[in-house]
Amino acid sequence: MPSITGRLAARLPALAVLLLGLLWAVPAPAQDTENLLPVTEAYKLSADAATPGVLKLHWTIAPDYYLYRGRMKFKGGDGVTLGEAQLPDGEKHHDEYLGDVETYHHGVDASIPYTVAAGTTRLTLSVQYQGCHEVDPKICYPPHTEHLDLPLPTAAGAAATPAAGSALGAALDRLGSNAGAAMTGAPLPAEQAFRFEALAQGPKQLLLRWTMPKGYYLYRDQTTLKLADAAGLALKPAWPAGTAHHDEHYGDVTVYFDQVELPVTLEGDLAGRKQLALQASFQGCQDGGLCYPLMTRAVQIDLNGGAPATAVAVPERPPGDLADGPLRVSLLAALLLALGGGLVLNLMPCVLPVLSIKAVSVLESGGNRATARRHALFYTAGVLCSFAALGLGILALRAAGHALGWGSQLQQPLLVGALACVMLAVGLSMSGVVQFGASLGNTGAVLASRSGPAGDFFTGVLAVVVASPCTAPFMGSALAYAFAAPMLSALLVFLMLGVGLALPFLAVGFVPALARLLPKPGRWMETLKQVLAFPMYLTAAWLVWVLANQRGADAVGLVLVAMVLLAMTLWWFERSRSRGAASKIAVAVLAVATLVPMYLLAHVPPPSSTATAEDGVVAYSPQKLAELRAAGTPVFVDMTADWCVTCKANEHAVLGTQAFRDLLQRTGAVYMKGDWTDVNPTISAFLQQYHSPGVPLYVVFPKDGGPGRRLSTVLTRSLVERALTEAAH
């Protein structure tokens, strides 16, 4: 049976609250209380419901007053479910009634996630808080409750709304002012939006300070610190509590408004140093507006004290280094990189199946120079038109705010399924199962198999479509330039990629010496043509595998049914050549039936459960990456996709080997992987941060907290070993 002492101890908190209420109920002398503020003026509460799913509260606390952190309670109204409130740590002290408590002075922010039931049109909740006056007359207010009734945010975002029932009435809270300023004002230059300075507070204690105007905030987890020329020294930051924020790119993050001060401890022997060179890389946004790219500032800190050192922008990297500045290269350099990348693209496995179609047509032309030139010109026209259309589409969508990149069209399951059917049709044509005529000239398989200009042109189109899952050396830098350059320059880069892809066939068509090296046509060409059909079938099988990872078994079943119906359509089409109109109607009916499973495929939702994590691989998230970096762990980040052939080649040659796993263990590095097979805004944001036009993207983060190092899109064992070894030291 519990002792009397134990039962009394269990009831102490309730007794303390009751005592506070009794103290408030005891009349105080008039001369002591006449100058006390009403509770709603001592603690001015305002609310911001502009962000869907997150309610932001702010208390402005009058001088000589404070609020208890532990006395705050929140309760949702009808149809409103509140999550756990995010509150910063308060000042710790011992209260004579409540014991060890945390309190707030001057002001405090709270962030509360919420969900609403269907049909709910207002965000209603009650907010309870309690505080005290800390100078004579020292008195505590009883718990006070305010009832909020706020409009739910619209698609465009709602303006900040004062708390209903507050005596302040029309005053806007700080966060509401931030949102309003951000939505009405033009973005400031980065130097004005994020002012950074630092000073030494002691022999081994630094204080870093970021100051932002109203309507701007700083990401905590996108901030890294690094000392220059300070071997043996390390930085240990102690971040204060910030504001919980849901970001469309990074998910649930912590941000800071107005100003944040960061104490940093220096670990190691200063060895008589009088100054330290510190670099800070950070990222922030205008609330409801522009998000700035990663910024890097440098400060020289006087360890003997003195005025804070104001940061200056770090000089940009030399021309040619595209990791942080794609426009640092000239247009001419980008065009040369694009030409080389397009040329190397011919050797990538994703392009080879389609090139086999064109190789057959070139060989069949024999020594006819006019025919060879025609093949080359129309094929090149198809390639260039496709690259121009792809480039304009991607750039237009990016200008509209969509996170698209090279190969991202294969994130669409319907396109993947359609490509699988096209590859099957082309393979059946090359195998001799069907010979197309002009009557089906509008279909992809027909055009690819015809020997005239239309066939040459469409083969170029098909080459570009299937090339999109691949990235070759030099391509990444050129595309990064294109995605950041003005429209005309970007279009020239895309066209130069096309010139590189078409260059081998242009050379064969217009250089007689090269054409003479080709073998003479003969009956063996038919056998070769049938053999080259099998890479088409393999490409179709690979696309079905990609679809399985995107939408699961249901999608695979639908596309397989569509492929069977397509094969039946082509088979009956071949048999109906000498038959009447009824047979041709049957072909049309079968062709329409082929579209039915494709229509259903477009409506298959993503699988509800995620794939089982690989052994030794950590799934990418900004929060986990920040935790690992804060712990001083080197990290190898791999952004990949199932449709990315270059990614799979790198995994087979380097990342999936025992040697790589041994390297991770030896260096203490963590292998973190992000899957961009389907649309993923978080990974898209990471790609944008490193100016990557698509996947693969490989970034190695050192254990000292320095900036990440971007690796080549085509990996070698020596390159990865060197990067991880340097990151671990």
Side-chain angles (χ1 to χ4, degrees):
M1 181 175 180
S3 65
I4 296 176
T5 304
R7 286 179 297 189
L8 181 60
R11 288 169 170 76
L12 277 178
L15 292 174
V17 174
L18 178 61
L19 181 58
L20 285 173
L22 291 175
L23 287 173
W24 174 254
V26 175
Q31 66 272 20
D32 289 337
T33 60
E34 62 181 3
N35 293 323
L36 286 177
L37 294 173
V39 62
T40 53
E41 292 187 25
Y43 313 103
K44 297 175 182 178
L45 173 63
S46 52
D48 173 17
T51 303
V54 178
L55 173 66
K56 300 175 184 178
L57 302 177
H58 177 72
W59 284 267
T60 300
I61 305 173
D64 300 327
Y65 292 78
Y66 63 85
L67 275 177
Y68 287 107
R69 183 179 192 272
R71 305 301 299 158
M72 291 182 174
K73 296 180 180 179
F74 311 92
K75 182 178 180 180
D78 292 338
V80 178
T81 302
L82 301 181
E84 183 177 357
Q86 304 295 317
L87 288 161
D89 294 334
E91 301 171 24
K92 296 178 173 60
H93 73 92
H94 186 79
D95 187 280
E96 62 180 316
Y97 299 114
L98 299 180
D100 294 328
V101 295
E102 293 181 41
T103 58
Y104 302 117
H105 291 78
H106 309 302
V108 61
D109 296 306
S111 179
I112 308 173
Y114 69 86
T115 58
V116 295
T120 303
T121 59
R122 306 285 295 182
L123 177 60
T124 57
L125 70 155
S126 60
V127 180
Q128 185 182 96
Y129 54 89
Q130 185 177 14
C132 300
H133 189 232
E134 61 184 351
V135 296
D136 289 333
K138 295 182 179 180
I139 196 167
C140 290
Y141 293 86
H144 177 74
T145 300
E146 292 196 38
H147 300 282
L148 308 186
D149 185 0
L150 309 172
L152 288 172
T154 63
T161 305
S166 171
L168 183 59
L172 289 174
D173 67 311
R174 180 183 60 81
L175 288 173
S177 299
N178 287 347
M183 295 177 70
T184 58
L188 294 172
E191 293 76 13
Q192 298 179 27
F194 302 93
R195 186 185 175 202
F196 175 64
E197 53 190 355
L199 74 158
Q201 289 190 313
K204 288 194 173 185
Q205 191 69 37
L206 307 178
L207 181 67
L208 312 185
R209 181 185 298 122
W210 286 265
T211 304
M212 292 81 69
K214 293 290 185 182
Y216 291 78
Y217 60 84
L218 178 79
Y219 289 110
R220 182 187 67 187
D221 296 336
Q222 300 302 313
T223 304
T224 58
L225 306 172
K226 182 180 180 181
L227 292 174
D229 301 323
L233 291 179
L235 299 172
K236 186 177 181 181
W239 285 98
T243 300
H245 176 72
H246 184 78
D247 187 273
E248 63 175 331
H249 296 307
Y250 297 121
D252 293 325
V253 295
T254 299
V255 298
Y256 299 97
F257 288 91
D258 295 340
Q259 187 179 83
V260 57
E261 293 187 342
L262 174 63
V264 178
T265 302
L266 284 169
E267 296 182 340
D269 186 7
L270 292 174
R273 289 178 180 268
K274 296 183 179 180
Q275 282 193 333
L276 279 179
L278 182 140
Q279 286 188 4
S281 297
F282 49 89
Q283 190 173 13
C285 297
Q286 184 186 24
D287 196 10
L290 171 75
C291 280
Y292 291 75
L294 196 69
M295 298 163 274
T296 301
R297 308 277 175 80
V299 288
Q300 290 287 338
I301 303 175
D302 184 0
L303 295 179
N304 294 323
T310 302
V312 296
V314 174
E316 298 292 346
R317 300 189 178 193
D321 188 346
L322 298 176
D324 289 328
L327 291 180
R328 296 297 177 266
V329 299
S330 66
L331 175 60
L332 178 60
L335 292 176
L336 291 175
L337 289 168
L339 179 65
L343 187 61
V344 177
L345 197 58
N346 285 281
L347 304 177
M348 304 305 289
C350 49
V351 186
L352 289 175
V354 174
L355 294 187
S356 64
I357 304 174
K358 186 47 48 193
V360 170
S361 64
V362 171
L363 290 172
E364 287 177 340
S365 67
N368 190 322
R369 304 302 312 140
T371 303
R373 286 193 294 271
R374 187 202 68 201
H375 282 313
L377 288 175
F378 279 98
Y379 171 77
T380 302
V383 170
L384 293 181
C385 289
S386 301
F387 264 110
L390 182 62
L392 288 173
I394 290 176
L395 295 173
L397 288 170
R398 278 188 175 272
H402 297 278
L404 294 178
W406 180 256
S408 61
Q409 65 270 24
L410 290 182
Q411 292 176 336
Q412 308 304 319
L414 182 59
L415 178 60
V416 175
L419 279 176
C421 290
V422 169
M423 291 299 172
L424 174 66
V426 173
L428 291 173
S429 173
M430 297 181 72
S431 295
V433 174
V434 61
Q435 298 295 325
F436 296 110
S439 60
L440 291 182
N442 292 327
T443 65
V446 174
L447 291 171
S449 61
R450 292 172 64 180
S451 58
D456 296 326
F457 183 90
F458 184 75
T459 305
V461 174
L462 198 58
V464 175
V465 172
V466 300
S468 58
C470 280
T471 54
F474 315 117
M475 268 188 66
S477 299
L479 287 172
Y481 177 93
F483 286 164
M487 182 68 75
L488 180 59
S489 299
L491 184 58
L492 289 175
V493 171
F494 276 100
L495 290 175
M496 191 58 73
L497 279 167
V499 171
L501 181 62
L503 192 56
F505 289 111
L506 281 173
V508 170
F510 286 88
V511 180
L514 292 176
R516 284 193 291 269
L517 298 176
L518 298 177
K520 300 299 180 182
R523 295 184 60 186
W524 62 273
M525 290 296 305
E526 186 63 26
T527 301
L528 175 63
K529 184 177 180 180
Q530 294 177 4
V531 169
L532 291 177
F534 291 98
M536 297 296 173
Y537 299 137
L538 287 174
T539 303
W542 164 69
L543 288 167
V544 172
W545 174 77
V546 170
L547 190 61
N549 290 329
Q550 288 178 327
R551 291 295 185 270
D554 289 345
V556 171
L558 288 170
V559 77
L560 289 177
V561 170
M563 294 171 80
V564 170
L565 289 172
L566 176 62
M568 185 183 301
T569 303
L570 298 177
W571 166 74
W572 188 251
F573 165 74
E574 188 66 24
R575 290 179 62 87
S576 66
R577 289 183 184 276
S578 58
R579 298 173 184 262
S583 294
K584 292 179 173 55
I585 293 175
V587 171
V589 171
L590 286 171
V592 172
T594 304
L595 299 177
V596 174
M598 299 302 292
Y599 171 80
L600 297 174
L601 172 62
H603 296 83
V604 175
S608 57
S609 59
T610 57
T612 304
E614 303 174 53
D615 291 339
V617 179
V618 176
Y620 170 77
S621 73
Q623 296 84 0
K624 185 62 177 178
L625 177 60
E627 291 175 9
L628 292 170
R629 300 204 67 195
T633 304
V635 184
F636 183 97
V637 175
D638 169 12
M639 293 301 177
T640 183
D642 288 332
W643 41 259
C644 172
V645 178
T646 307
C647 304
K648 297 305 174 184
N650 286 334
E651 289 177 12
H652 176 75
V654 180
L655 303 180
T657 63
Q658 185 61 44
F660 178 69
R661 290 188 285 271
D662 293 341
L663 176 63
L664 292 174
Q665 186 173 8
R666 186 167 66 252
T667 58
V670 169
Y671 181 27
M672 179 172 281
K673 182 182 288 189
D675 189 355
W676 207 44
T677 301
D678 219 333
V679 177
N680 188 316
T682 302
I683 294 178
S684 297
F686 188 88
L687 297 176
Q688 291 177 348
Q689 180 180 343
Y690 286 90
H691 307 292
S692 177
V695 292
L697 172 64
Y698 306 106
V699 182
V700 176
F701 293 93
K703 72 174 187 179
D704 62 4
R709 174 189 173 188
R710 179 177 170 181
L711 304 184
S712 168
T713 55
V714 179
L715 297 180
T716 63
R717 293 188 181 185
S718 60
L719 172 66
V720 174
E721 182 174 6
R722 183 168 61 253
L724 281 178
T725 301
E726 292 174 358
H729 290 87

